mmCIF file of all heavy atoms in Angstrom:
data_model
loop_
_atom_site.group_PDB
_atom_site.id
_atom_site.type_symbol
_atom_site.label_atom_id
_atom_site.label_comp_id
_atom_site.label_asym_id
_atom_site.label_seq_id
_atom_site.Cartn_x
_atom_site.Cartn_y
_atom_site.Cartn_z
ATOM 1 N N THR X 356 -10.564 -19.745 15.724
ATOM 2 C CA THR X 356 -9.899 -19.441 16.993
ATOM 3 C C THR X 356 -10.634 -20.112 18.171
ATOM 4 O O THR X 356 -10.092 -20.199 19.247
ATOM 5 C CB THR X 356 -9.950 -17.935 17.250
ATOM 6 O OG1 THR X 356 -11.410 -17.526 17.337
ATOM 7 C CG2 THR X 356 -9.304 -17.149 16.117
ATOM 8 N N LYS X 357 -11.804 -20.648 17.891
ATOM 9 C CA LYS X 357 -12.621 -21.270 18.992
ATOM 10 C C LYS X 357 -12.450 -22.803 19.039
ATOM 11 O O LYS X 357 -13.015 -23.492 19.834
ATOM 12 C CB LYS X 357 -14.070 -20.949 18.880
ATOM 13 C CG LYS X 357 -14.215 -19.436 18.947
ATOM 14 C CD LYS X 357 -15.737 -19.000 18.951
ATOM 15 C CE LYS X 357 -15.901 -17.504 19.156
ATOM 16 N NZ LYS X 357 -15.358 -16.698 17.934
ATOM 17 N N ILE X 358 -11.610 -23.311 18.076
ATOM 18 C CA ILE X 358 -11.370 -24.766 18.096
ATOM 19 C C ILE X 358 -10.521 -25.155 19.319
ATOM 20 O O ILE X 358 -9.403 -24.630 19.491
ATOM 21 C CB ILE X 358 -10.678 -25.224 16.752
ATOM 22 C CG1 ILE X 358 -11.425 -24.726 15.532
ATOM 23 C CG2 ILE X 358 -10.392 -26.733 16.742
ATOM 24 C CD1 ILE X 358 -12.784 -25.422 15.314
ATOM 25 N N GLU X 359 -10.995 -26.042 20.098
ATOM 26 C CA GLU X 359 -10.292 -26.374 21.356
ATOM 27 C C GLU X 359 -9.065 -27.236 21.203
ATOM 28 O O GLU X 359 -8.048 -27.081 21.856
ATOM 29 C CB GLU X 359 -11.268 -26.998 22.378
ATOM 30 C CG GLU X 359 -12.179 -25.915 22.958
ATOM 31 C CD GLU X 359 -13.288 -26.437 23.827
ATOM 32 O OE1 GLU X 359 -13.210 -27.688 24.132
ATOM 33 O OE2 GLU X 359 -14.144 -25.705 24.160
ATOM 34 N N SER X 360 -9.222 -28.208 20.207
ATOM 35 C CA SER X 360 -8.040 -29.093 20.048
ATOM 36 C C SER X 360 -7.090 -28.545 19.069
ATOM 37 O O SER X 360 -7.288 -28.605 17.817
ATOM 38 C CB SER X 360 -8.599 -30.535 19.602
ATOM 39 O OG SER X 360 -7.522 -31.324 19.395
ATOM 40 N N ARG X 361 -6.057 -27.919 19.546
ATOM 41 C CA ARG X 361 -5.094 -27.176 18.689
ATOM 42 C C ARG X 361 -3.701 -27.473 19.169
ATOM 43 O O ARG X 361 -3.459 -27.471 20.386
ATOM 44 C CB ARG X 361 -5.443 -25.726 18.838
ATOM 45 C CG ARG X 361 -4.324 -24.816 18.288
ATOM 46 C CD ARG X 361 -4.770 -23.395 18.223
ATOM 47 N NE ARG X 361 -3.635 -22.517 17.931
ATOM 48 C CZ ARG X 361 -3.693 -21.296 17.301
ATOM 49 N NH1 ARG X 361 -4.882 -20.868 16.894
ATOM 50 N NH2 ARG X 361 -2.626 -20.642 17.026
ATOM 51 N N LYS X 362 -2.833 -27.655 18.305
ATOM 52 C CA LYS X 362 -1.439 -27.803 18.602
ATOM 53 C C LYS X 362 -0.517 -26.806 17.810
ATOM 54 O O LYS X 362 -0.453 -26.889 16.601
ATOM 55 C CB LYS X 362 -0.998 -29.221 18.373
ATOM 56 C CG LYS X 362 0.422 -29.517 18.815
ATOM 57 C CD LYS X 362 0.721 -31.052 18.785
ATOM 58 C CE LYS X 362 2.098 -31.310 18.134
ATOM 59 N NZ LYS X 362 2.143 -32.760 17.863
ATOM 60 N N ASP X 363 0.109 -25.868 18.547
ATOM 61 C CA ASP X 363 0.991 -24.912 17.846
ATOM 62 C C ASP X 363 2.378 -25.560 17.750
ATOM 63 O O ASP X 363 2.742 -26.370 18.561
ATOM 64 C CB ASP X 363 1.084 -23.646 18.678
ATOM 65 C CG ASP X 363 -0.120 -22.789 18.444
ATOM 66 O OD1 ASP X 363 -1.154 -23.008 19.127
ATOM 67 O OD2 ASP X 363 -0.114 -21.880 17.529
ATOM 68 N N THR X 364 3.115 -25.135 16.691
ATOM 69 C CA THR X 364 4.461 -25.617 16.590
ATOM 70 C C THR X 364 5.433 -24.441 16.273
ATOM 71 O O THR X 364 4.899 -23.324 15.997
ATOM 72 C CB THR X 364 4.670 -26.625 15.346
ATOM 73 O OG1 THR X 364 4.625 -25.856 14.183
ATOM 74 C CG2 THR X 364 3.534 -27.688 15.327
ATOM 75 N N ASP X 365 6.704 -24.719 16.379
ATOM 76 C CA ASP X 365 7.722 -23.649 16.025
ATOM 77 C C ASP X 365 8.094 -23.709 14.569
ATOM 78 O O ASP X 365 8.912 -22.884 14.136
ATOM 79 C CB ASP X 365 8.971 -23.853 16.873
ATOM 80 C CG ASP X 365 8.703 -23.467 18.290
ATOM 81 O OD1 ASP X 365 7.803 -22.647 18.582
ATOM 82 O OD2 ASP X 365 9.409 -24.017 19.211
ATOM 83 N N LYS X 366 7.500 -24.627 13.843
ATOM 84 C CA LYS X 366 7.927 -24.856 12.488
ATOM 85 C C LYS X 366 7.443 -23.690 11.532
ATOM 86 O O LYS X 366 6.241 -23.500 11.380
ATOM 87 C CB LYS X 366 7.441 -26.180 11.946
ATOM 88 C CG LYS X 366 7.769 -26.525 10.543
ATOM 89 C CD LYS X 366 9.195 -26.858 10.284
ATOM 90 C CE LYS X 366 9.522 -28.284 10.567
ATOM 91 N NZ LYS X 366 10.985 -28.557 10.411
#
Side-chain angles (χ1 to χ4, degrees):
Chain X
T356 63
K357 298 184 178 70
I358 304 296
E359 283 172 11
S360 178
R361 165 173 171 152
K362 185 167 134 196
D363 282 84
T364 76
D365 287 333
K366 178 72 84 182

